[in-house]
Amino acid sequence: QVQLVESGGGLVQPGGSLRLSCVVSASMHSLNTMDWYRQAPGKERELVARMISGGGTNYADSVKGRFTISDDNAKNVVYLQMTGLKPEDTAVYYCHVTQLLGGREIAYWGRGTQVTVVS
């Protein structure tokens, strides 16, 4: 069982920055993907950024050039650096990781951290 604990959310003005952190209870080397999702009120949860084992990254079009996903293997932490924040970035942000075990993909979710962008 992998546990994920997010932190770093808060209230920020448009144009501001935040860095979200996700502490992972397992070795980063055991993970297949490390992701950040978000869910705004009344909307479906959406993938914001993904880091694939080996280093590849993917971003939602809405955040490309503004958000950066990274990790620190020594600290077992996944980060989401968010810059140029917009009101439409307001959402609960969730850390999500997957492992491949016995040919099956196992997924784990954190509880989320609230990001609110408002003037």
Side-chain angles (χ1 to χ4, degrees), residues 10-18 38-41 43 46 48 60-67 80-93 114-119:
L11 185 67
V12 65
Q13 292 184 337
S17 300
L18 283 173
R38 68 185 180 188
Q39 187 166 20
K43 295 188 177 181
E46 63 172 348
V48 174
D61 287 343
S62 59
V63 307
K64 280 181 182 176
R66 299 189 298 122
F67 290 10
L80 185 68
Q81 179 68 49
M82 304 185 294
T83 62
L85 283 162
K86 305 175 181 180
E88 52 263 43
D89 295 319
T90 295
V92 178
Y93 284 71
Q114 176 71 47
V115 172
T116 302
V117 185
V118 65
S119 299

Side-chain angles (χ1 to χ4, degrees), residues 13 23 50 56-57 65 76 79 95-96 113-114 119:
Q13 292 184 337
V23 178
R50 166 164 289 172
T57 57
N76 284 1
Y79 299 104
C95 183
H96 172 268
T113 185
Q114 176 71 47
S119 299

Side-chain angles (χ1 to χ4, degrees), residues 1-16:
Q1 186 77 9
V2 178
Q3 294 182 332
L4 308 173
V5 179
E6 303 101 330
S7 63
L11 185 67
V12 65
Q13 292 184 337

Side-chain angles (χ1 to χ4, degrees), residues 37-74:
Y37 282 75
R38 68 185 180 188
Q39 187 166 20
K43 295 188 177 181
E44 293 189 355
R45 194 171 295 189
E46 63 172 348
L47 177 64
V48 174
R50 166 164 289 172
M51 177 174 285
I52 303 165
S53 175
T57 57
N58 293 310
Y59 296 92
D61 287 343
S62 59
V63 307
K64 280 181 182 176
R66 299 189 298 122
F67 290 10
T68 303
I69 187 171
S70 63
D71 66 344
D72 185 329
N73 288 336

